[in-house]
Amino acid sequence: MATEQIKIFDTTLRDGEQAPGCSMTLREKLRIARALAELKVDIIEAGFPAASPGDFEAVKAIADENRGPTICGLARCNPEDIEKVYAAVKGADKHRIHVFVATSAIHREYKLKMAKEEIIRSAVGAISQARELCDDVEFSPEDASRTELAYLAEVVTAAIEAGATTVNIPDTVGYTVPAEFDLLFRYLKDNVAGIDDITLSVHCHDDLGMAVANSLAAVAAGARQIECTINGIGERAGNCSLEEVVMALKTRAEFFALESAIDTTRLYPTARLVAGITGMAIPRNKAIVGENAFAHEAGIHQHGMLQHHSTYEIMRPGDVGISKSKLVLGKHSGRHAFRDRVKRLGFALDEFETNRAFQEFKKLADRKKDIYDGDIEAIIMNVDSSSSGPWILKSLKVISATAEQSTATLKLIDENGDEKIETAEADGPVEAAFSVLESTTGIDLILKNFELHSATVGEDAQGEATVTVEYNGQSYRGHGTSTDIVEAACRAYLEVINRILRRRERGLEDGHLASDINRASI
Ligand code: KIV
Ligand code: ZN
């Protein structure tokens, strides 16, 4: 059977970023966009430029880097949104404007308060305007899976006539099931004139855990673009997971006869990068990129594996970028071996970042006998922030005992080399450490979320801490890593404090991260 090409449209930076707590800084978004380009996705939906000035800047910065994939921005059906998308994406050689409007009866009545004809007029007007600016225009009838079939066909027909080059069918609320979605796509194929001249796309949410299955059903029925996110992050239960859908197509190539351009050996490093940046840890049993995805515990399975891996393994760990040997470097490893390992893990660091990461690696090697891939990844995740002041953590001493107050004594050094030592007491060691950081730096934060994960296995594994905090109504996230978990938490908190102080120095009092707050809603 001849193999056709399928496009992978990644929306980690737009729909993924809409997941609660997943807002990212410009620098983080650029880092993910570079990883997506290396992964060889066809299209990056970089954001929703009209949502906030921060979103606009991020989409523009990603487009201006122009690393290969088509850069797309989302717009509602209004002239200002469309102009903003164009202004943001036009720096990329290949750029796309994605316009959407809801079409289901529920959305028409309760959200838009618009009649069917008005919605079609609005979509046609927006698509025509976008086509005047750009040859590549995508249209999405939001909540398509709950829209009356005949009306949906009418909307899609009008969208194609108006010039849409891709029509995307979203299951916005994760409501459909594979057999039903198959029928919907076949209905559109049979009832929309010109549908074979455009790219038909699918966009699924995971509310009932069927986003990947529904996307594959759509593909089997004729969709040739899949919209998805790394690790399936996204609104509510998330979106179709890129790594799962791509590996399903590859592993079952004889069934789908479709090929994507994805370099699957970049899946695992990209998944780790997104998890590290967003603080959304990958569940151990997550398909494709979870810690246990290739672990064989039962004796009978291990026996089979020893005879031949195909007994219990349908993909090889190396296919998705999980290295065979997890034990990588030690105290005596040099810069060259370190740089090579970083590259093989899929990270592209500049000279400055490599030097900083290597210094951190050497410090860790003094404290920890075996250095695993997870350790290297944890170092890289923190290389942006670990030693950027104004405050540098010199030492932390914590005393904690059952049924007694904990005490944390902290020594910080500022850029001029001046030391500050303070002590605070609290119910627990982490609270005491946060409290002394606040009193020493004069920055009071509201802790919203605190997560701690082990970067690798073993008793001397590093703890990776992620804190989400609020300051002046803005949301910030910080990461910290150490073999001492209270220190890891302290480093994560200090990272945020330093970021706030640096912004203050630059006269940007209002904090960044989130676009969560004061953001135009979709
Ligand atoms: O889920 C959805 O309907 C969307 C559209 C904006 C494509 O994200
Ligand atoms: Zn969506």
Side-chain angles (χ1 to χ4, degrees):
M1 206 189 321
T3 301
E4 261 186 74
Q5 210 53 33
I6 183 139
K7 290 181 193 159
I8 301 297
F9 174 115
D10 181 277
T11 183
T12 305
L13 296 173
R14 201 278 297 169
D15 225 349
E17 209 220 3
Q18 283 172 221
C22 279
S23 302
M24 301 168 217
T25 61
L26 172 62
R27 210 181 151 97
E28 289 168 340
K29 287 184 182 179
L30 276 169
R31 222 164 161 189
I32 291 181
R34 287 173 199 147
L36 292 172
E38 294 213 5
L39 184 62
K40 303 220 172 349
V41 303
D42 298 281
I43 301 112
I44 295 176
E45 186 164 53
F48 177 27
S52 70
D55 274 44
F56 178 88
E57 285 312 322
V59 177
K60 180 161 170 18
I62 291 167
D64 290 350
E65 279 208 351
N66 199 19
R67 288 187 177 240
T70 298
I71 305 300
C72 171
L74 184 67
R76 291 164 293 195
C77 286
N78 70 59
E80 298 76 39
D81 272 29
I82 292 167
E83 276 155 25
K84 278 203 174 113
V85 171
Y86 181 63
V89 299
K90 67 179 184 206
D93 287 345
K94 292 183 278 171
H95 48 263
R96 175 180 293 188
I97 300 175
H98 178 187
V99 294
F100 77 100
V101 63
T103 50
S104 67
I106 298 172
H107 281 238
R108 291 195 311 261
E109 186 180 342
Y110 298 111
K111 186 175 95 172
L112 299 174
K113 301 187 189 343
M114 278 164 84
K116 285 178 171 176
E117 304 69 38
E118 261 182 290
I119 286 174
I120 295 185
R121 270 202 302 278
S122 148
V124 165
I127 295 165
S128 312
Q129 182 199 348
R131 271 308 299 264
E132 277 170 27
L133 298 168
C134 172
D135 287 341
D136 189 348
V137 173
E138 172 167 333
F139 170 69
S140 290
E142 190 190 8
D143 207 14
S145 57
R146 292 194 299 169
T147 301
E148 306 89 318
L149 279 180
Y151 177 57
L152 183 63
E154 216 183 306
V155 175
V156 173
T157 307
I160 294 173
E161 275 170 11
T165 46
T166 297
V167 173
N168 176 48
I169 304 298
D171 179 28
T172 303
V173 290
Y175 180 73
T176 198
V177 297
E180 182 187 63
F181 219 29
D182 170 89
L183 292 176
L184 185 153
F185 274 79
R186 289 186 198 282
Y187 180 88
L188 292 179
K189 281 274 200 188
D190 291 343
N191 291 280
V192 172
I195 200 154
D196 293 330
D197 304 329
I198 53 112
T199 302
L200 190 54
S201 168
V202 60
H203 176 114
C204 292
H205 282 265
D206 208 30
D207 298 66
L208 292 171
M210 286 183 279
V212 173
N214 288 333
S215 301
L216 291 171
V219 162
R224 288 296 175 265
Q225 172 179 287
I226 304 176
E227 302 202 351
C228 43
T229 61
I230 301 292
N231 300 336
I233 63 168
E235 288 271 8
R236 308 180 307 280
N239 288 53
C240 171
S241 143
L242 183 148
E243 56 282 2
E244 292 178 20
V245 85
V246 163
M247 286 314 288
L249 292 174
K250 181 169 173 157
T251 309
R252 299 307 312 276
E254 84 298 347
F255 180 81
F256 289 105
L258 289 167
E259 199 172 47
S260 77
I262 296 294
D263 174 356
T264 61
T265 64
R266 296 280 180 183
L267 287 173
Y268 181 71
T270 313
R272 289 280 309 182
L273 179 74
V274 170
I277 285 178
T278 58
M280 290 271 276
I282 304 172
R284 275 189 179 271
N285 65 339
K286 163 97 173 56
I288 317 295
V289 291
E291 277 297 303
N292 291 355
F294 294 92
H296 301 273
E297 190 70 24
I300 198 164
H301 288 203
Q302 289 177 349
H303 176 72
M305 283 292 291
L306 287 174
Q307 307 306 311
H308 198 273
H309 64 82
S310 64
T311 50
Y312 286 102
E313 224 168 51
I314 57 169
M315 301 162 271
R316 308 273 24 227
D319 297 345
V320 302
I322 297 177
S323 61
K324 261 206 199 109
S325 153
K326 294 201 141 212
L327 179 63
V328 284
L329 299 172
K331 197 180 167 95
H332 302 292
S333 307
R335 185 183 296 268
H336 187 74
F338 178 76
R339 193 196 297 267
D340 182 58
R341 194 67 219 166
V342 167
K343 217 169 147 203
R344 285 218 273 144
L345 284 171
F347 294 101
L349 300 188
D350 60 27
E351 203 49 33
F352 177 73
E353 289 168 331
T354 306
N355 287 341
R356 284 251 300 263
F358 187 64
Q359 279 166 18
E360 292 301 316
F361 160 70
K362 280 290 177 190
K363 277 194 226 159
L364 181 65
D366 277 338
R367 293 164 84 173
K368 192 170 184 296
K369 193 165 130 274
D370 300 325
I371 310 276
Y372 297 87
D373 283 350
D375 290 313
I376 309 268
E377 286 159 0
I379 287 173
I380 294 168
M381 289 315 308
N382 287 288
V383 83
D384 270 356
S385 49
S386 58
S387 57
S388 35
W391 289 108
I392 291 170
L393 177 68
K394 199 64 195 160
S395 68
L396 173 71
K397 183 174 170 190
V398 180
I399 302 170
S400 181
T402 316
E404 280 178 30
Q405 289 280 95
S406 299
T407 309
T409 304
L410 180 77
K411 191 196 279 184
L412 292 183
I413 297 194
D414 72 11
E415 288 154 321
N416 307 319
D418 294 336
E419 268 183 24
K420 249 187 164 184
I421 304 179
E422 287 199 20
T423 298
E425 271 192 0
D427 285 341
V430 172
E431 195 189 344
F434 288 173
S435 165
V436 72
L437 270 172
E438 290 184 345
S439 59
T440 312
T441 60
I443 300 283
D444 285 339
L445 304 176
I446 302 168
L447 182 66
K448 291 289 183 188
N449 191 36
F450 171 49
E451 287 183 37
L452 192 59
H453 299 278
S454 168
T456 57
V457 291
E459 284 169 6
D460 64 350
Q462 294 190 92
E464 284 179 297
T466 305
V467 294
T468 308
V469 300
E470 223 176 271
Y471 179 74
N472 276 355
Q474 298 286 324
S475 178
Y476 291 83
R477 200 171 40 247
H479 307 282
T481 310
S482 172
T483 45
D484 173 332
I485 55 172
V486 183
E487 186 187 319
C490 186
R491 287 188 181 280
Y493 216 65
L494 182 61
E495 183 196 328
V496 173
I497 290 175
N498 274 335
R499 200 178 320 143
I500 291 169
L501 290 170
R502 287 198 301 272
R503 287 187 63 85
R504 192 181 272 180
E505 249 172 52
R506 299 201 308 271
L508 302 165
E509 187 60 45
D510 62 326
H512 140 100
L513 223 200
S515 9
D516 277 349
I517 298 164
N518 298 334
R519 182 177 209 174
S521 64
I522 290 187

